[in-house]
Amino acid sequence: MSVGTRTKTLLKTISPARRLDIAASYEALTQACVATGDDPAKAELVSDSPNHLWSLPDSRALAIVHPDLDEAWALIRGAQFLRQHRLPVVCPYYTDVRASADGRAVTFWQDPGRPSTDTSLSAWVTALAHRVDPGTAPWLREHDPFTGLLDGLDDSLLDETARRFLRGHAALLHEEWDYLDWPTPEAVVLGALGMVPCHDDGVHVGLLLRRPLTRGHREWDLVAARWRSELLTGPREDHRTYADTYLSYEREGRLPDHPYIGAWSGYQVVRDVVVLTAVMDTVRRAHLDAAARRQAAHRVACLRGAQPAPWNWGPR
């Protein structure tokens, strides 16, 4: 397997299971590049969650390897839809999807530059997306975070006690979710587990979609942004900038009784669903290496109250 220098170094230091996972992703990328005429020889793995993102320096493009064809097409369609509404979204490099022999799919995107640390850009793009009428896209699926939420749990490395807890926890949250009183109408939802990833190449700002768009309530995006920035990884100032910018671009449905999303009565339920989604993403990756197994065990322990700091999700 021929890859860029950084990825070659990475492959020397990671577990055999994760190497196999990356090798399968690279094989799908190579098959796609045969069809497009791009050269994957110097490809660099940029990220492997929520899907594999590769940089193709010779083509000045990015490639995303998806677990299935439907997700890949949904991402292409979503990006085109947002661009039709004049949102600053990264354009597909090709407007079709390349399927691989093992059922994976590959999409190609224009290189948007480095991820931006400016949280106001994320808030700006999110607010613009929420102003788009979801009725103009009848093909959008309903946002249901419980669909596929526990996929992979039965085959995970967790013990049966942890699995039973996660099933029960998901069932309780699902019941609470069904009774939520949403303060705003349906909107186009970006569905990230944090602030959406905006990039800046020095000239243009662009949103690189990594998850398909859905039709749901904007509170999901706002709760996820607050949880990741304020309660998990970032300083409070980052989220304050995000919240102020978001509200400044809102026109109607401004949440007058809730000056910030944390004051909404449904915040904790939605936050806990976001948290469980993030935990399950880690559980499904626990087979890759020892660090991922430790992180999954720690996060489940936090949910169960066995660890004293519920928002400290770092490895132990």
Side-chain angles (χ1 to χ4, degrees):
M1 144 179 198
S2 176
V3 293
T5 54
R6 294 194 304 276
T7 304
K8 283 183 178 178
T9 301
L10 173 69
L11 292 171
K12 293 177 183 177
T13 62
I14 59 178
S15 69
R18 193 173 178 211
R19 276 200 299 273
L20 287 174
D21 187 51
I22 294 174
S25 173
Y26 182 73
E27 176 60 26
L29 174 64
T30 300
Q31 292 178 31
C33 286
V34 169
T36 63
D38 293 285
D39 184 3
K42 298 178 183 178
E44 296 283 9
L45 183 66
V46 177
S47 168
D48 60 355
S49 181
N51 36 37
H52 285 83
L53 177 65
W54 294 88
S55 171
L56 299 173
D58 289 346
S59 300
R60 305 183 78 175
L62 296 175
I64 299 178
V65 179
H66 306 265
D68 60 70
L69 198 61
D70 287 344
E71 178 190 284
W73 277 114
L75 218 62
I76 292 281
R77 193 174 191 179
Q80 293 173 329
F81 170 71
L82 291 181
R83 286 195 67 83
Q84 288 171 0
H85 286 80
R86 300 184 178 181
L87 265 75
V89 179
V90 177
C91 293
Y93 201 83
Y94 306 111
T95 57
D96 55 359
V97 176
R98 307 290 173 173
S100 66
D102 65 351
R104 302 181 195 227
V106 183
T107 55
F108 294 83
W109 305 82
Q110 295 180 7
D111 190 342
R114 294 179 178 274
S116 174
T117 59
D118 185 351
T119 60
S120 66
L121 296 179
S122 178
W124 170 56
V125 172
T126 302
L128 293 179
H130 290 170
R131 286 162 61 176
V132 175
D133 179 6
T136 60
W139 45 267
L140 282 176
R141 292 183 178 180
E142 181 181 357
H143 178 236
D144 180 2
F146 295 94
T147 299
L149 176 61
L150 298 183
D151 284 356
L153 180 59
D154 291 339
D155 299 324
S156 71
L157 298 177
L158 298 177
D159 59 39
E160 185 53 37
T161 301
R163 294 177 192 174
R164 192 180 306 115
F165 165 77
L166 289 173
R167 294 188 195 101
H169 188 58
L172 288 174
L173 287 176
H174 202 166
E175 184 176 352
E176 293 178 317
W177 176 277
D178 288 341
Y179 285 96
L180 280 174
D181 182 17
W182 298 100
T184 57
E186 284 193 331
V188 174
V189 177
L190 300 174
L193 295 180
M195 293 183 181
V196 294
C198 285
H199 295 248
D200 188 352
D201 62 5
V203 179
H204 301 104
V205 173
L207 164 67
L208 178 65
L209 286 180
R210 297 287 296 276
R211 297 174 184 269
L213 301 175
T214 55
R215 184 185 73 256
H217 295 275
R218 68 188 72 179
E219 284 73 29
W220 174 275
D221 290 339
L222 300 181
V223 170
R226 180 176 188 262
W227 177 68
R228 288 290 298 188
S229 67
E230 186 173 82
L231 300 177
L232 181 64
T233 58
R236 291 176 181 269
E237 291 73 16
D238 284 352
H239 186 264
R240 188 173 297 115
T241 300
Y242 178 98
D244 290 345
T245 303
Y246 179 86
L247 288 175
S248 71
Y249 279 93
E250 275 296 89
R251 288 180 177 172
E252 56 259 351
R254 183 187 155 114
L255 303 177
D257 298 329
H258 311 104
Y260 64 99
I261 192 62
W264 173 46
S265 61
Y267 169 77
Q268 184 170 333
V269 173
V270 178
R271 180 204 64 189
D272 288 350
V273 178
V274 172
V275 170
L276 181 57
T277 305
V279 170
M280 280 305 305
D281 281 354
T282 305
V283 168
R284 280 187 284 271
R285 292 167 52 83
H287 69 283
L288 294 178
D289 53 46
R293 286 194 295 275
R294 287 194 299 271
Q295 188 179 58
H298 172 62
R299 291 187 173 193
V300 174
C302 286
L303 282 184
R304 298 175 66 182
Q307 294 288 347
W311 302 119
N312 179 12
W313 297 101
R316 286 287 180 90

